Amino acid sequence: MPHDAHDHDQPHSLLPSDPALRVKALETLLIGKGLVDPATLDEIIDTYQTKIGPQNGAEVVARAWSDDAFRDLLLKDATAAVSQMGFYGRQGEHIVAVQNTDSVHKLVVCTLCSCYPWPLLGIPPGWYKSDAYRARAVREPRKVLAEFGVTLPDHVAVRVWDSTSEIRYLVVPQRPAGTEGWSVDALAKLITRDAMIGTGLVAGPS
Ligand code: FE
């Protein structure tokens, strides 16, 4: 941190504003006071780093592409469908799956804050929580999509779904051509987080 830019008379200049350092300080304090157990903390961090993330959503979408009965259930009652696969818990209580088609592309936002299907996609990316994305996804979705590298033909309508703490959306992207007969595992590897938010498309095999 460049100290010369600071007013050294201000007490705050003694405390670095680096969030990581502040988190560490809080963690040390809470553990010191016996309010949290470090092993539990490590377990929570490990869960979100390795067990909960877009790979779960990708598995759900790949299965929906491969299994018509599962796809029908997913579109009818996504919470029940993904629970069957072991995906449930915090921020995953009321999930609704919306499917992209040849004529309608879906885009998910939370205009109020940052509601997001955690058990399927993990922790939301920074841009999802930004004021700019939350305002512009509704006002000018095509422009936002273009900035993500998604340009849709004019005949494809864009529909924006606004998440709330009551309903969290998962986009089921379109299955790319050239993947006929692929296994669920192979399909899942193609499916990105952004495709399940609607800010991306699933690219086929090159
Ligand atoms: Fe929210």
Side-chain angles (χ1 to χ4, degrees), residues 110-116 128 163-165 168:
C110 176
T111 55
L112 213 59
C113 42
S114 57
C115 298
Y116 193 73
Y128 185 83
S163 308
T164 65
S165 55
R168 293 151 205 275

mmCIF file of all heavy atoms in Angstrom, residues 110-116 128 163-165 168, ligand 1:
data_model
loop_
_atom_site.group_PDB
_atom_site.id
_atom_site.type_symbol
_atom_site.label_atom_id
_atom_site.label_comp_id
_atom_site.label_asym_id
_atom_site.label_seq_id
_atom_site.Cartn_x
_atom_site.Cartn_y
_atom_site.Cartn_z
ATOM 1 N N CYS A 110 -30.242 -10.621 -10.010
ATOM 2 C CA CYS A 110 -31.005 -10.294 -8.808
ATOM 3 C C CYS A 110 -30.903 -8.787 -8.685
ATOM 4 O O CYS A 110 -29.854 -8.260 -8.321
ATOM 5 C CB CYS A 110 -30.443 -10.971 -7.562
ATOM 6 S SG CYS A 110 -31.349 -10.443 -6.092
ATOM 7 N N THR A 111 -31.958 -8.098 -9.051
ATOM 8 C CA THR A 111 -31.888 -6.629 -9.082
ATOM 9 C C THR A 111 -31.780 -6.051 -7.677
ATOM 10 O O THR A 111 -31.251 -4.967 -7.480
ATOM 11 C CB THR A 111 -33.124 -6.015 -9.776
ATOM 12 O OG1 THR A 111 -34.290 -6.503 -9.121
ATOM 13 C CG2 THR A 111 -33.168 -6.377 -11.244
ATOM 14 N N LEU A 112 -32.265 -6.800 -6.692
ATOM 15 C CA LEU A 112 -32.291 -6.288 -5.323
ATOM 16 C C LEU A 112 -30.954 -6.494 -4.616
ATOM 17 O O LEU A 112 -30.490 -5.629 -3.884
ATOM 18 C CB LEU A 112 -33.394 -7.038 -4.573
ATOM 19 C CG LEU A 112 -34.134 -6.274 -3.508
ATOM 20 C CD1 LEU A 112 -34.799 -5.047 -4.124
ATOM 21 C CD2 LEU A 112 -35.193 -7.175 -2.880
ATOM 22 N N CYS A 113 -30.352 -7.660 -4.819
ATOM 23 C CA CYS A 113 -29.079 -7.930 -4.117
ATOM 24 C C CYS A 113 -28.275 -8.929 -4.927
ATOM 25 O O CYS A 113 -27.717 -8.567 -5.948
ATOM 26 C CB CYS A 113 -29.319 -8.386 -2.691
ATOM 27 S SG CYS A 113 -30.661 -9.551 -2.470
ATOM 28 N N SER A 114 -28.189 -10.165 -4.494
ATOM 29 C CA SER A 114 -27.334 -11.113 -5.213
ATOM 30 C C SER A 114 -27.826 -12.542 -5.051
ATOM 31 O O SER A 114 -27.038 -13.468 -4.962
ATOM 32 C CB SER A 114 -25.899 -10.997 -4.713
ATOM 33 O OG SER A 114 -25.881 -11.211 -3.311
ATOM 34 N N CYS A 115 -29.155 -12.744 -5.001
ATOM 35 C CA CYS A 115 -29.708 -14.085 -4.822
ATOM 36 C C CYS A 115 -29.252 -14.984 -5.974
ATOM 37 O O CYS A 115 -29.241 -14.567 -7.129
ATOM 38 C CB CYS A 115 -31.220 -14.034 -4.725
ATOM 39 S SG CYS A 115 -31.744 -13.070 -3.288
ATOM 40 N N TYR A 116 -28.937 -16.223 -5.637
ATOM 41 C CA TYR A 116 -28.191 -17.089 -6.556
ATOM 42 C C TYR A 116 -28.334 -18.526 -6.054
ATOM 43 O O TYR A 116 -28.379 -18.742 -4.837
ATOM 44 C CB TYR A 116 -26.740 -16.620 -6.447
ATOM 45 C CG TYR A 116 -25.746 -17.088 -7.467
ATOM 46 C CD1 TYR A 116 -25.759 -16.585 -8.770
ATOM 47 C CD2 TYR A 116 -24.728 -17.970 -7.110
ATOM 48 C CE1 TYR A 116 -24.788 -16.959 -9.685
ATOM 49 C CE2 TYR A 116 -23.748 -18.352 -8.022
ATOM 50 C CZ TYR A 116 -23.785 -17.836 -9.308
ATOM 51 O OH TYR A 116 -22.811 -18.197 -10.204
ATOM 52 N N TYR A 128 -21.790 -10.382 -10.724
ATOM 53 C CA TYR A 128 -23.220 -10.663 -10.525
ATOM 54 C C TYR A 128 -23.788 -9.763 -9.426
ATOM 55 O O TYR A 128 -24.969 -9.411 -9.438
ATOM 56 C CB TYR A 128 -23.395 -12.141 -10.162
ATOM 57 C CG TYR A 128 -24.831 -12.600 -10.043
ATOM 58 C CD1 TYR A 128 -25.560 -12.966 -11.175
ATOM 59 C CD2 TYR A 128 -25.468 -12.667 -8.803
ATOM 60 C CE1 TYR A 128 -26.877 -13.394 -11.071
ATOM 61 C CE2 TYR A 128 -26.787 -13.092 -8.687
ATOM 62 C CZ TYR A 128 -27.486 -13.449 -9.829
ATOM 63 O OH TYR A 128 -28.796 -13.864 -9.717
ATOM 64 N N SER A 163 -34.160 -12.828 -9.740
ATOM 65 C CA SER A 163 -34.144 -13.718 -8.568
ATOM 66 C C SER A 163 -34.560 -12.967 -7.320
ATOM 67 O O SER A 163 -34.419 -11.752 -7.240
ATOM 68 C CB SER A 163 -32.734 -14.250 -8.329
ATOM 69 O OG SER A 163 -32.216 -14.813 -9.484
ATOM 70 N N THR A 164 -35.034 -13.727 -6.364
ATOM 71 C CA THR A 164 -35.331 -13.162 -5.047
ATOM 72 C C THR A 164 -34.894 -14.190 -4.026
ATOM 73 O O THR A 164 -34.444 -15.278 -4.385
ATOM 74 C CB THR A 164 -36.837 -12.924 -4.851
ATOM 75 O OG1 THR A 164 -37.494 -14.206 -4.869
ATOM 76 C CG2 THR A 164 -37.418 -12.037 -5.915
ATOM 77 N N SER A 165 -35.052 -13.852 -2.751
ATOM 78 C CA SER A 165 -34.707 -14.850 -1.743
ATOM 79 C C SER A 165 -35.714 -15.992 -1.772
ATOM 80 O O SER A 165 -35.486 -17.058 -1.214
ATOM 81 C CB SER A 165 -34.662 -14.201 -0.367
ATOM 82 O OG SER A 165 -35.883 -13.552 -0.120
ATOM 83 N N ARG A 168 -34.757 -18.773 -6.859
ATOM 84 C CA ARG A 168 -33.442 -18.645 -7.491
ATOM 85 C C ARG A 168 -33.461 -19.445 -8.779
ATOM 86 O O ARG A 168 -33.878 -20.598 -8.787
ATOM 87 C CB ARG A 168 -32.361 -19.172 -6.561
ATOM 88 C CG ARG A 168 -32.214 -18.319 -5.319
ATOM 89 C CD ARG A 168 -31.727 -19.131 -4.152
ATOM 90 N NE ARG A 168 -32.152 -18.505 -2.908
ATOM 91 C CZ ARG A 168 -31.487 -17.537 -2.310
ATOM 92 N NH1 ARG A 168 -30.370 -17.112 -2.831
ATOM 93 N NH2 ARG A 168 -31.944 -16.991 -1.216
HETATM 94 FE FE FE B 1 -30.694 -11.059 -4.006
#
